[in-house]
Amino acid sequence: MDFSTSLTDKLASKTGSSNSLDSSSKSSSLGSKHGGGENGVLRDTPFSYLDGEEDQDQKNDVTYVCPYRGPVFGALTITNFRLYFRSLPLRDQEPPVVVDVPLGVIARVEKIGGATSRGENSYGIEIFCKDMRNLRFAHKQQNHSRRTVFEKLQTNAFPLSYSGRLFAFAHAAANSVNGSGGWNGWAVFEPLAELRRLGVPNDMWRATKLNECYAICDSYPAVWAVPKAASDDFLRRVAQFRSRCRLPVLSWMNPRTQATITRCSQPLVGVGGKRNSDDEAYLSFIMEANAQSDKLTIMDARPSANAIANKAKGGGYESEDAYKNVEINFLDIHNIHVMRESLRKVKEACFPTTDDSKWQTAIDNTLWLKHIRCILAGAVRIVDKVETMSTSVVVHCSDGWDRTAQLTALSMLLLDPYYRTVRGFEVLIEKEWLSFGHKFQQRVGHGDNKHSDADRSPVFLQFIDSVWQVSQQFHNAFEFNEHFLITIVDHLYSCRFGTFLCNTEAERVAEDLKHKTTSLWTHINSSLDQYLNPLFPSFTHGAELVLRPIASVRSVRLWKGLYCRWNPGLCAPQHGCQRTRELLSKQDQLFRHVNELRLKSNNRSNNMQTTTRLASPMH
């Protein structure tokens, strides 16, 4: 990659909005499909509509109970994509209070107060969001406005619970009619091309489409990389001894040493300690594919007690007696239920109010930073084995689609600078999270009203948080900035794009998401300038090839830019996108100046050489 041009060449011609949830939107008015005024007169709208966005309800006498400024009176608009409130300023020059929330962000909606409620603002609706916010709107009892607002929020925020479809489908359909053009984000990741980048196929590894119809493992991708010594029939037998048939397949290979990272689920050893000769031989194939080492390391993401307890359910872990030349390490990362409760405590600590005297204690009690530190520490241990010891590593947890993805993706990010570019990070998410079956639908709850579902958990959020933690220790190692990461988190929930919909690659193929929805990467790559890091090396390949972050409590800190962004007392307003564009523009000027100086220097050298030759005595 030519770092001298990588940033400046990517500056988009248009300036994107700094609001990650509302950029690249389409201006419209409250007419035709967006709702007309009386006698068909069109009215101006306070925000820009997206393609496919249509009005569902509007109330002009709603009070937003702001936890920081107190009650503010204004108008509430509900579309099939968002809830939008704008206050009516009481004084000239007073900026309005604006609340703009994609409906996909909403976790649940509850009515507050009843017919007998008499207190001010005691009758209305409370909205609980997945992005750390709670919103409360008060309605007047006499006009029954609450009823229709509640019904519209329910049916549009949770369409799958009401036989509807997510907004991503309407958005893409309207976008194709109106002409989207531009770059196709669905083309970012091509499995065979990524394997070729890693050096596969080679003497020891091959690519296979054995799972092309998702018949061997319905939660795995269609294309795998496996040891060449393993036949397709052998792979089928090995799959039967792994939970959910998720047998070990290649995630990453060190091009210099051939040490690998493979991922899988737990073996089905059970209480009786069952053995499987095919599974044992298969791990030997993985070890032997690396000529640099005669050992194989298994990184089990779970606490050892949890791994032992899983034996009672038919699972468990590899015995070092049964698997020769294998060492097993437990990384003490807790399960999805522990993480869900931890994030709930973070929300309580950050929103809506905080006690300065108890702030640090409150954050410590969430255990969130402890969990992030464990994920970082686990990834660093994998990096050490692969890079320093040249030992291949197998990573798994229970089913191999939550903690396993955290560890493989983060360790690959630390090992391979490609994944620290914008394009590479998009490939990393497509590969390690989407194609390998992280259950985004169940973990996030897209479009359903089952807010208390035990399958919901912030697993992917923890990965993005971990990436941010690394970026804070290595400021110039990443081509992308914090806004890029926050944008990904926002659209994890928004349901505007098809990227994070469904649970598996098989489901996405069945839903034909590549043709019926738009990719998030299309949106990001069409306005790339706002996501670039001005500190990323441009003159030299100066970024470290392998990153080894410090995974200690002292080095891990709360990501206020994400978790506290709605609390003005904890997070000052950010103008990062504008600042980024200014720095990139300045950098472009410096590039030109340096090139001019180099050109002058080269011309001067050439002139001196010419003069010297002319002045030389003739013999």
Side-chain angles (χ1 to χ4, degrees):
M1 180 178 185
D2 184 1
F3 289 102
S4 65
T5 58
S6 61
L7 291 180
T8 53
D9 286 352
K10 293 175 181 175
L11 293 179
S13 58
K14 67 176 183 177
T15 300
S17 167
S18 61
N19 183 346
S20 66
L21 295 181
D22 200 46
S23 58
S24 298
S25 55
K26 168 191 168 207
S27 296
S28 184
S29 56
L30 278 171
S32 62
K33 68 176 182 179
H34 298 308
E38 295 181 6
N39 301 320
V41 178
L42 302 183
R43 296 177 294 171
D44 291 335
T45 58
F47 59 88
S48 296
Y49 284 82
L50 301 173
D51 287 314
E53 187 173 7
E54 302 179 9
D55 281 340
Q56 303 295 308
D57 197 13
Q58 187 175 64
K59 304 298 179 186
N60 294 316
D61 54 356
V62 175
T63 298
Y64 168 50
V65 185
C66 178
Y68 308 109
R69 292 181 55 174
V72 288
F73 184 77
L76 179 70
T77 300
I78 297 173
T79 72
N80 56 340
F81 173 69
R82 81 183 79 208
L83 174 151
Y84 185 92
F85 173 86
R86 184 183 178 91
S87 67
L88 302 175
L90 299 178
R91 293 177 294 274
D92 291 339
Q93 309 302 321
E94 182 182 43
V97 175
V98 173
V99 178
D100 190 354
V101 184
L103 299 184
V105 171
I106 296 176
R108 73 179 193 270
V109 183
E110 293 183 357
K111 295 178 179 178
I112 52 175
T116 59
S117 298
R118 291 292 178 266
E120 185 179 9
N121 301 322
S122 61
Y123 178 87
I125 288 173
E126 187 159 14
I127 299 170
F128 299 84
C129 298
K130 300 169 186 175
D131 64 356
M132 313 299 284
R133 284 182 285 184
N134 290 346
L135 307 171
R136 186 168 179 171
F137 295 95
H139 295 256
K140 296 179 179 178
Q141 294 186 33
Q142 57 269 29
N143 59 15
H144 304 291
S145 66
R146 182 178 77 168
R147 180 190 308 161
T148 56
V149 169
F150 181 80
E151 290 173 354
K152 293 298 182 182
L153 284 176
Q154 287 285 341
T155 55
N156 288 280
F158 315 118
L160 300 187
S161 297
Y162 294 89
S163 302
R165 302 207 82 185
L166 296 168
F167 175 73
F169 293 94
H171 180 50
N175 197 263
S176 63
V177 170
N178 296 325
S180 58
W183 197 77
N184 179 16
W186 291 117
V188 161
F189 174 59
E190 203 291 302
L192 291 175
E194 172 62 5
L195 287 177
R196 285 193 296 271
R197 191 189 70 83
L198 294 174
V200 176
N202 57 35
D203 292 342
M204 304 304 294
W205 292 85
R206 67 183 178 96
T208 177
K209 293 186 178 180
L210 175 65
N211 199 46
E212 191 169 20
C213 297
Y214 308 103
I216 306 299
C217 178
D218 61 4
S219 61
Y220 258 19
V223 177
W224 305 343
V226 295
K228 187 175 281 189
S231 68
D232 285 355
D233 286 340
F234 183 85
L235 294 173
R236 290 187 178 93
R237 297 197 301 271
V238 172
Q240 297 303 309
F241 192 66
R242 291 282 165 171
S243 176
R244 314 282 183 173
C245 296
R246 294 171 65 92
L247 74 164
V249 298
L250 181 72
S251 283
W252 189 79
M253 176 185 294
N254 187 316
R256 178 175 52 84
T257 67
Q258 306 300 299
T260 61
I261 297 174
T262 52
R263 59 179 295 169
C264 59
S265 61
Q266 64 184 340
L268 301 178
V269 298
V271 176
K274 287 188 294 186
R275 294 182 59 173
N276 183 287
S277 58
D278 291 326
D279 193 73
E280 292 168 18
Y282 186 61
L283 290 195
S284 294
F285 292 161
I286 293 174
M287 178 186 68
E288 292 164 2
N290 173 16
Q292 303 291 322
S293 177
D294 58 359
K295 286 190 175 183
L296 182 69
T297 297
I298 295 175
M299 295 291 185
D300 190 323
R302 302 168 292 183
S304 58
N306 295 30
I308 293 170
N310 265 275
K311 287 186 175 183
K313 303 175 184 178
Y317 58 93
E318 297 83 354
S319 165
E320 292 183 0
D321 294 330
Y323 293 81
K324 302 303 179 184
N325 299 314
V326 167
E327 66 169 4
I328 186 164
N329 298 273
F330 296 99
L331 301 181
D332 294 320
I333 303 172
H334 287 274
N335 62 30
I336 60 171
H337 313 295
V338 172
M339 302 309 184
R340 182 177 59 248
E341 176 63 14
S342 180
L343 183 64
R344 184 191 65 78
K345 292 179 179 178
V346 173
K347 181 174 181 177
E348 286 182 353
C350 297
F351 188 92
T353 58
T354 58
D355 184 341
D356 285 346
S357 63
K358 300 178 181 178
W359 164 253
Q360 195 58 55
T361 300
I363 295 301
D364 289 344
N365 289 340
T366 69
L367 300 181
W368 183 258
L369 299 183
K370 176 178 178 289
H371 298 317
I372 296 296
R373 189 204 68 79
C374 283
I375 296 168
L376 278 169
V380 169
R381 290 180 68 177
I382 294 171
V383 169
D384 185 59
K385 285 292 182 182
V386 173
E387 178 65 19
T388 307
M389 309 299 292
S390 298
T391 302
S392 293
V393 175
V394 176
V395 183
H396 71 69
C397 47
S398 296
D399 290 321
W401 50 43
D402 288 318
R403 289 166 284 190
T404 298
Q406 290 176 332
L407 290 169
T408 57
L410 190 58
S411 58
M412 290 160 65
L413 180 94
L414 299 178
L415 285 163
D416 193 337
Y418 172 68
Y419 297 123
R420 303 196 289 269
T421 66
V422 171
R423 174 71 178 263
F425 194 74
E426 293 168 353
V427 168
L428 184 66
I429 290 174
E430 288 280 346
K431 181 174 183 288
E432 290 302 301
W433 289 92
L434 293 159
S435 78
F436 275 103
H438 175 67
K439 301 195 293 184
F440 281 100
Q441 173 65 41
Q442 290 188 19
R443 296 292 180 258
V444 177
H446 292 132
D448 73 55
N449 58 6
K450 303 170 186 174
H451 60 84
S452 58
D453 190 338
D455 276 330
R456 295 198 180 179
S457 189
V459 177
F460 182 71
L461 175 64
Q462 286 185 311
F463 164 68
I464 297 295
D465 191 328
S466 299
V467 173
W468 179 83
Q469 300 288 345
V470 177
S471 74
Q472 297 307 291
Q473 294 189 34
F474 301 92
H475 294 284
N476 70 335
F478 293 82
E479 186 183 29
F480 50 83
N481 58 21
E482 178 185 47
H483 180 54
F484 175 76
L485 297 176
I486 292 176
T487 298
I488 291 173
V489 172
D490 283 341
H491 289 299
L492 169 68
Y493 307 128
S494 76
C495 296
R496 176 180 167 184
F497 303 103
T499 300
F500 296 117
L501 305 187
C502 300
N503 290 315
T504 64
E505 181 178 291
E507 290 180 11
R508 293 182 192 98
V509 170
E511 290 284 344
D512 196 19
L513 294 189
K514 286 191 176 182
H515 298 103
K516 294 183 178 179
T517 67
T518 304
S519 168
L520 170 59
W521 316 132
T522 300
H523 167 69
I524 285 178
N525 295 340
S526 66
S527 55
L528 201 56
D529 59 325
Q530 61 184 302
Y531 304 110
L532 296 177
N533 172 18
L535 300 179
F536 188 66
S538 298
F539 290 112
T540 66
H541 298 262
E544 294 88 342
L545 186 62
V546 176
L547 304 183
R548 290 182 171 85
I550 300 172
S552 72
V553 176
R554 294 186 300 275
S555 301
V556 177
R557 53 196 176 95
L558 187 71
W559 187 2
K560 289 186 179 180
L562 178 67
Y563 303 116
C564 304
R565 56 182 163 154
W566 313 118
N567 186 335
L570 287 175
C571 191
Q574 299 292 313
H575 305 286
C577 295
Q578 180 59 35
R579 180 60 177 157
T580 294
R581 284 191 284 271
E582 291 172 357
L583 288 172
L584 287 169
S585 177
K586 182 65 175 177
Q587 186 185 61
D588 191 35
Q589 294 175 21
L590 292 173
F591 283 154
R592 292 172 185 166
H593 185 56
V594 168
N595 288 333
E596 289 172 1
L597 291 175
R598 283 174 175 167
L599 183 60
K600 290 180 180 179
S601 176
N602 290 337
N603 290 338
R604 188 179 301 114
S605 297
N606 292 335
N607 291 335
M608 290 179 64
Q609 291 174 8
T610 302
T611 303
T612 302
R613 285 197 298 271
L614 291 174
S616 298
M618 296 183 65
H619 298 284

